Amino acid sequence: MKHVVIVDGYNIIGAWPELNKLKDVSLEEARDKLIDMLADYQAYKGNKVYCVFDAYRVPGLGGKYRQRQIEVLYTREKETADERIERLVADLRGRRVQIHVATSDSVEQHVTFGQGALRLPARELLFAVKEIRKEIRTKIEETASPAKNSLDSKLSDELREKFEKWRRGL
């Protein structure tokens, strides 16, 4: 079964304390940080992640971009993120597809649930992202320990002595 997570970008930024503080400094940095976090989540879980940002008051046709393997969608003029998410759920819905919508907007959760998507509250997604990042850090530390990866640990005593003599010019 294919798993898809659709994230209401600005809703999640507002709901996660770290990103909410960052958006007051730079909304672009908050968006990029969210996408980085979602990229780790996607890579670890194997779920396809779409992140939808509201461009309701911005003239234009919207856009679809790929950033760090995340599908980033900006809504069209006079289209809300909720409307775009509902359309995306309808487009992706299928027999072998399980869709989760990550938002704290209870109305949006109910509407997408009615279309067959499962809800993923912002707090649960944040918990999952933090756990995944912690596991990734642990695995990196385990594999990067000097005893496991150093050339010195793989050399015989005789060869180590030879290299030491070369190093000292003996």
Side-chain angles (χ1 to χ4, degrees):
M1 179 169 284
K2 181 179 175 184
H3 293 272
V4 175
V5 178
I6 302 171
V7 177
D8 185 344
Y10 289 132
N11 184 279
I12 297 297
I13 288 173
W16 290 3
E18 177 185 354
L19 297 179
N20 196 20
K21 288 178 190 171
L22 185 57
K23 83 169 182 189
D24 294 336
V25 177
S26 170
L27 187 57
E28 185 177 344
E29 285 184 42
R31 279 194 307 256
D32 288 342
K33 177 95 174 169
L34 173 62
I35 291 168
D36 285 345
M37 295 168 93
L38 293 175
D40 290 344
Y41 175 83
Q42 176 177 267
Y44 195 83
K45 295 283 277 185
N47 299 341
K48 179 67 184 153
V49 176
Y50 293 84
C51 189
V52 180
F53 290 107
D54 199 336
Y56 184 80
R57 299 181 196 277
V58 179
L61 300 173
K64 183 176 182 178
Y65 308 95
R66 179 167 272 201
Q67 185 174 337
R68 295 213 46 215
Q69 301 303 316
I70 301 290
E71 295 291 332
V72 180
L73 306 155
Y74 288 92
T75 64
R76 298 184 302 230
E77 182 179 7
K78 297 185 180 174
E79 178 184 39
T80 65
D82 293 351
E83 293 168 338
R84 183 65 179 106
I85 290 169
E86 291 164 21
R87 218 172 68 237
L88 189 57
V89 168
D91 292 345
L92 296 173
R93 188 175 49 207
R95 291 173 58 106
R96 306 270 307 145
V97 178
Q98 187 172 40
I99 302 171
H100 293 266
V101 176
T103 182
S104 289
D105 183 342
S106 61
V107 173
E108 181 62 16
Q109 288 176 353
H110 289 293
V111 170
T112 55
F113 184 72
Q115 291 183 338
L118 300 172
R119 67 186 189 92
L120 180 60
R123 181 182 291 163
E124 285 183 34
L125 181 60
L126 177 60
F127 179 76
V129 166
K130 284 183 174 182
E131 284 299 308
I132 286 168
R133 294 183 109 193
K134 192 184 330 178
E135 287 178 30
I136 290 170
R137 247 187 326 267
T138 302
K139 284 185 179 186
I140 288 171
E141 288 170 2
E142 286 173 0
T143 59
S145 68
K148 291 182 182 174
N149 286 333
S150 72
L151 178 62
D152 187 54
S153 67
K154 302 204 182 335
L155 297 177
S156 67
D157 289 338
E158 181 183 312
L159 199 51
R160 193 176 299 117
E161 281 181 41
K162 211 176 234 184
F163 281 141
E164 184 61 23
K165 285 180 182 176
W166 283 354
R167 188 180 73 84
R168 293 177 184 231
L170 302 175

